[in-house]
Amino acid sequence: MFADRAKIVVISGKGGDGHVSFRREKFVTNGGPDGGDGGHGGDVILEVDEGLNTLVDYRHVHKYKAQPGEDGGKKNCRGKDGEDIVLKLPQGTVVKDAASGKVIIDMSGDTKRYVLLKGGRGGKGNQHYATSTMQAPKYAQPGQEAKELELLLELKVIADVGLVGFPNVGKSTFLSRVTNAKPKIANYHFTTLNPNLGVVDLDDKGFVIADIPGLIEGASEGVGLGHEFLRHIERTKVLIHIVDAASTEGRDPIEDINAINKELQAYNPEIAARPQIIAANKIDAIYSEDGSDPIAKIREEFEVKQGIPVYAISAVSGQGVKELLYAVADKLEEINEEPTIFEQEFDPDMALASSDEPYTVYYDDEEDEYVIEGPRIEKMLGYTNLESEKGFSFFQNFLKDNGMLEQLEALGIKDGDTVRMYGLSFDYYK
C-alpha cells in the first residue's frame, strides 16, 4: 500500500570526550598537559530526493542515529568527527515533532536540505585548562550529549489541482486522458491507492493535477481509506469535483457532490472554501426514460444557486474535456499564488538546546504554590502540546530529566500541592 505517513526517532551523534594526558618524553622530565579535544558528533540532515514518491522506507526502520565523535587522544590528537546521517525524503514531506504535532520543516519549494539536529560538540582536552597556578590539570571536558527527537513524517502531494469525487466516477480515466499519467483502472471501489500525479499541457499554459483516491462518507472521521489521503489536497489551489452524471451505479449525482463537500468541510474548512469546478462526467452513458436532463439539474443546483461552474464531459470520448481544462487554467491564473508551504512551528534547536538556559524553582508563601519559571521552561511550554497525552508525558519527562522535580521535593512538596508555570497550574502527584 502507498505509504504517506511514518513515525521515526532520530538521534544526533554525541560529542567525543576531551582527553587527559601529559607529555612523556625521554629528556622531558615535567611535560605539560597534551590531552586532545574530542571530535564533534554527526548531524541529522533531511534531504529531498526527486526520485522518491512514498515514505515506505521509513515504515520498516524506525530509528536513525548519526555517528558519535571520537574521544581525544594523547599528544594533542583530536578525535575524528562522527559521520552525519542523511535521510532522503520525497518532495512535499512535512516533518512534525511527534510530541506536540507542530511543524518543524516543510520539504517543499526552495527547501531541499535541512540540518535537523546538530551533533554534540567535542569536549576540550586538559591542555586547555593549564594555568600559571594549575600546570597539570587532571580533568577534561566531556563531549556534548546527543539530541533525540521523535518525528512524524507526512507526505502532502504538491499539485495545483486536485480531483475529488466518489470511487468509480471516472477520475483515473480523466487523468489518463488529460496527462501522461498511467493510473491503474479497474471497476471496483478504492481502485486507486496512490495519489497519481500528471502534468496537463495546454499550449502556453500548464499545471500539475493529482487524482486523490475515492472518498466515501465518513472519510473525514477516518472511515475507509479516504482519511489517509485527504491531506494530499491541502496544497491544491483548485478542485475539480468529478461526478457520475449518468448515475451508472444508481447514486444521485447531486447527493454525491453534497456528501463529498461535507467531508471536505469536516476535514478542513479552508480546503472546502477553495475554488471548485464540477465535471459532470459520463455524459456518453446518460439515458433517461422520462426525458429529464441530469446535467440541467446539476447546473440548477450548483451553477445557478451556488455559482460553481459545471462542465459536462465524457472522460472516455473526450467530449467537453478541453473546455474544462481551459477553465481550470484560467482559474489558476486568476488565483496566481504560490503553492502552500507549511510554516515552521517548532524549532528543535531552541527546544532541545534549552538545557543551557536558566530556571528557578521556589515556594510562593502568599499563593501557597510552588513555582517553576525561567527561559528554559517558557520555551518548552511554547513548543509542547499539553492537551495531548503524549505531549504531557514528554513535558513531565523534561521536568524530571532537568532536575526540577527533584528540586520541588527538596522544597518539601507533597501530593496534591499546586505547581505554577507561566499561568498554568498543576496538581503534584509523585
Side-chain angles (χ1 to χ4, degrees):
M1 182 180 163
F2 181 76
D4 64 346
R5 195 176 169 96
K7 190 176 279 189
I8 62 171
V9 173
V10 292
I11 307 168
S12 64
K14 178 190 178 300
D17 295 336
H19 189 68
V20 176
S21 64
F22 298 91
R23 188 177 171 198
R24 294 286 182 264
E25 292 184 35
K26 190 171 182 180
F27 300 107
V28 181
T29 53
N30 294 308
D34 68 350
D37 299 345
H40 296 319
D43 300 339
V44 177
I45 299 170
L46 308 179
E47 198 171 83
V48 169
D49 185 336
E50 304 286 355
L52 295 177
N53 57 14
T54 80
L55 295 169
V56 69
D57 293 345
Y58 299 98
R59 284 286 182 91
H60 308 299
V61 181
H62 299 287
K63 185 173 278 191
Y64 298 85
K65 191 173 183 179
Q67 265 193 348
E70 285 186 358
D71 295 342
K74 54 188 178 182
K75 296 185 179 178
N76 299 326
C77 286
R78 183 181 183 278
K80 184 182 175 184
D81 290 342
E83 284 188 21
D84 301 333
I85 186 166
V86 180
L87 305 186
K88 303 283 189 179
L89 299 171
Q91 189 174 19
T93 303
V94 178
V95 182
K96 297 180 177 179
D97 168 56
S100 65
K102 294 186 176 181
V103 174
I104 297 173
I105 191 69
D106 183 350
M107 301 301 287
S108 306
D110 295 331
T111 305
K112 304 295 183 187
R113 185 178 171 89
Y114 178 75
V115 179
L116 179 71
L117 293 179
K118 294 285 289 181
R121 291 190 308 270
K124 293 180 179 178
N126 69 332
Q127 59 173 309
H128 294 280
Y129 298 102
T131 65
S132 57
T133 54
M134 172 63 73
Q135 295 183 6
K138 295 181 180 178
Y139 52 85
Q141 185 183 37
Q144 197 176 40
E145 289 300 317
K147 296 173 186 173
E148 181 173 332
L149 199 59
E150 188 176 27
L151 304 177
L152 179 62
L153 307 178
E154 288 187 350
L155 178 57
K156 298 177 190 283
V157 165
I158 298 175
D160 302 301
V161 178
L163 300 181
V164 297
F166 272 88
N168 288 3
V169 295
K171 297 195 306 299
S172 296
T173 305
F174 176 80
L175 188 73
S176 62
R177 169 166 285 280
V178 302
T179 75
N180 56 358
K182 299 289 186 289
K184 293 178 181 176
I185 301 168
N187 189 31
Y188 52 89
H189 287 184
F190 285 113
T191 173
T192 308
L193 291 181
N194 291 29
N196 291 297
L197 287 177
V199 178
V200 175
D201 192 7
L202 293 174
D203 304 326
D204 57 338
K205 300 176 183 179
F207 52 86
V208 179
I209 194 167
D211 168 20
I212 309 304
L215 302 180
I216 59 173
E217 288 184 81
S220 60
E221 298 167 6
V223 177
L225 294 178
H227 184 247
E228 289 298 309
F229 296 97
L230 275 165
R231 69 178 63 93
H232 292 301
I233 55 176
E234 290 188 21
R235 295 191 198 271
T236 56
K237 305 174 197 172
V238 174
L239 299 178
I240 298 178
H241 196 145
I242 297 189
V243 65
D244 177 2
S247 301
T248 56
E249 292 194 347
R251 296 200 311 267
D252 184 325
I254 292 175
E255 287 180 7
D256 278 6
I257 294 170
N258 287 328
I260 293 295
N261 284 341
K262 185 179 174 184
E263 293 306 320
L264 295 178
Q265 180 69 32
Y267 178 72
N268 187 335
E270 286 184 20
I271 294 173
R274 283 181 195 160
Q276 193 173 118
I277 295 175
I278 294 171
N281 192 25
K282 303 190 180 181
I283 57 173
D284 53 306
I286 290 177
Y287 171 75
S288 175
E289 290 183 356
D290 59 4
S292 61
D293 182 359
I295 301 297
K297 289 181 180 177
I298 295 170
R299 283 207 168 104
E300 173 64 26
E301 181 64 29
F302 296 100
E303 197 165 82
V304 176
K305 293 182 181 178
Q306 300 180 40
I308 302 173
V310 176
Y311 285 81
I313 70 163
S314 168
V316 172
S317 70
Q319 185 180 348
V321 168
K322 194 171 184 181
E323 291 81 0
L324 169 66
L325 294 178
Y326 274 103
V328 172
D330 290 342
K331 180 60 72 175
L332 287 170
E333 275 191 0
E334 191 180 302
I335 297 169
N336 192 28
E337 63 181 33
E338 294 298 315
T340 301
I341 303 291
F342 295 89
E343 297 294 328
Q344 185 178 45
E345 302 168 327
F346 182 97
D347 185 338
D349 279 338
M350 285 189 69
L352 300 179
S354 58
S355 57
D356 297 325
E357 299 280 0
Y359 70 91
T360 55
V361 181
Y362 64 92
Y363 175 66
D364 184 342
D365 291 313
E366 290 185 11
E367 299 293 333
D368 188 25
E369 291 179 338
Y370 292 83
V371 181
I372 306 177
E373 60 186 15
R376 192 189 310 188
I377 201 81
E378 190 175 13
K379 284 179 182 176
M380 184 51 78
L381 281 171
Y383 285 115
T384 309
N385 178 15
L386 297 180
E387 293 180 5
S388 75
E389 185 179 340
K390 191 150 195 170
F392 193 79
S393 174
F394 180 78
F395 189 66
Q396 283 179 310
N397 288 331
F398 168 79
L399 297 178
K400 181 181 177 182
D401 294 343
N402 284 273
M404 296 172 193
L405 297 184
E406 195 176 318
Q407 291 190 39
L408 288 172
E409 290 170 9
L411 289 170
I413 196 168
K414 300 185 295 295
D415 282 359
D417 286 347
T418 302
V419 179
R420 187 177 78 239
M421 289 177 273
Y422 290 96
L424 296 172
S425 294
F426 305 92
D427 292 332
Y428 173 83
Y429 290 98
K430 190 167 181 180

